[in-house]
Amino acid sequence: LRCFGYLRAHWKYAAGAYLMMVLIDLLAMVSPQLIRWTIDNGISGRDTTLLALAVGALLVVVVIKGVFTYFEGLWTETASQSVAYDLRNELQRKITLLSFAFHDNAEAGDLLSRTIQDVERIRFLTGRAAFRVIEGVFLMLITALVMFSMNSKLALLAVAAMPLLAIQSIRFGRVFRPLSHQIQKQLSVLTTRVEQNLRGARVIKTFAQEEAEIERFEHDNSQWFNLSAEAARLQSFNIPCLQLVTNLSSVFILFYGGMLVVQGGLTLGELVAFTTYMGQLIAPVRF
């Protein structure tokens, strides 16, 4: 909450970005319906005039969406960069005003990591990270509503995969979050080691401690590498798991929806639109 408190001074940019988000997501609901209409009326009906109109409408939607996306990205970054700017200034002011006793015990490398690396994480949190989560919830809700309005049985089949995706994501987060914290702390240790070696280069050479310092740095660097490699391993396992659930769900929807098309309970355009919505439903859960 303290992090997001820094957005208050820049609420206009944040509000503008979220407004663009809502408009983009609403346009995302329109595109599959245009595709459905194109297939069912233009292609199936062999009507080139309707086909041209539908393609033109899709192009207009794409252009408008592109304009909205530009302002969304611009205003999101402006707000989050402003938060980072204010936070760096406050940190610098606080560090400068702290007592001699604090600076006698504090590590300059650790403070450097706080001021640069940690501020960057908070910038990402107040910008893209929070934005994607809120957008994901909103997009998931409106997509699910549209899918249920089209075909409730197909929608239930699509939504059935959501709990599996959510469970896997939660399990991954419980392991990855503390690991990410360890990586950030170890990066602070590594930064401190570099800063000490640079600042004390003369002392190190005077006492012929070059090899000892090289070994210490290699040890700290090795720990950071091992933690980062473990994080990469977890991510490499998590993404295929999510994709497996998604692809299996898509296969079942394609089979059941295809049967409905054959039996006349669903048009081909509706099936294509539905699978497009399905693709839009998966991303928010992963976010």
Side-chain angles (χ1 to χ4, degrees), residues 151-162:
N151 189 296
S152 58
K153 290 181 179 178
L154 266 181
L156 281 172
L157 194 59
V159 172
M162 297 303 107

Side-chain angles (χ1 to χ4, degrees), residues 19-201:
L19 175 61
M20 293 297 104
M21 176 204 77
V22 170
L23 294 175
I24 289 167
D25 289 349
L26 291 175
L27 284 175
M29 298 299 102
V30 173
S31 296
Q33 294 300 326
L34 282 173
I35 293 170
R36 176 189 64 79
W37 189 74
T38 305
I39 293 172
D40 289 343
N41 297 284
I43 297 174
S44 298
R46 300 182 183 277
D47 190 327
T48 54
T49 304
L50 282 178
L51 181 60
L53 284 172
V55 170
L58 279 169
L59 285 172
V60 170
V61 169
V62 168
V63 170
I64 295 172
K65 192 175 179 181
V67 173
F68 289 164
T69 303
Y70 167 77
F71 284 108
E72 174 202 281
L74 177 65
W75 290 338
T76 302
E77 279 301 307
T78 302
S80 62
Q81 290 289 356
S82 298
V83 167
Y85 173 82
D86 294 342
L87 194 53
R88 286 193 197 98
N89 283 338
E90 280 201 32
L91 275 166
Q92 176 61 28
R93 176 178 172 80
K94 180 68 176 179
I95 291 168
T96 304
L97 294 176
L98 283 168
S99 65
F100 281 111
F102 173 82
H103 286 288
D104 285 340
N105 296 317
E107 295 287 356
D110 185 55
L111 295 177
L112 189 64
S113 178
R114 293 276 180 270
T115 308
I116 297 174
Q117 298 290 338
D118 291 0
V119 168
E120 180 62 20
R121 293 301 177 96
I122 291 174
R123 182 198 67 76
F124 181 67
L125 169 70
T126 56
R128 287 288 172 189
F131 189 88
R132 290 302 172 208
V133 171
I134 294 170
E135 181 187 37
V137 172
F138 179 70
L139 185 60
M140 184 168 59
L141 289 174
I142 60 174
T143 303
L145 284 172
V146 172
M147 289 171 75
F148 273 102
S149 68
M150 289 178 66
N151 189 296
S152 58
K153 290 181 179 178
L154 266 181
L156 281 172
L157 194 59
V159 172
M162 297 303 107
L164 294 175
L165 291 172
I167 289 168
Q168 174 58 25
S169 297
I170 291 167
R171 287 177 59 190
F172 171 76
R174 284 176 178 169
V175 178
F176 190 78
R177 196 172 296 111
L179 180 61
S180 180
H181 184 63
Q182 283 183 278
I183 291 170
Q184 195 71 357
K185 285 180 68 177
Q186 188 59 29
L187 185 60
S188 174
V189 171
L190 202 60
T191 307
T192 300
R193 181 70 66 190
V194 172
E195 185 272 334
Q196 287 176 340
N197 287 342
L198 291 173
R199 188 174 57 180

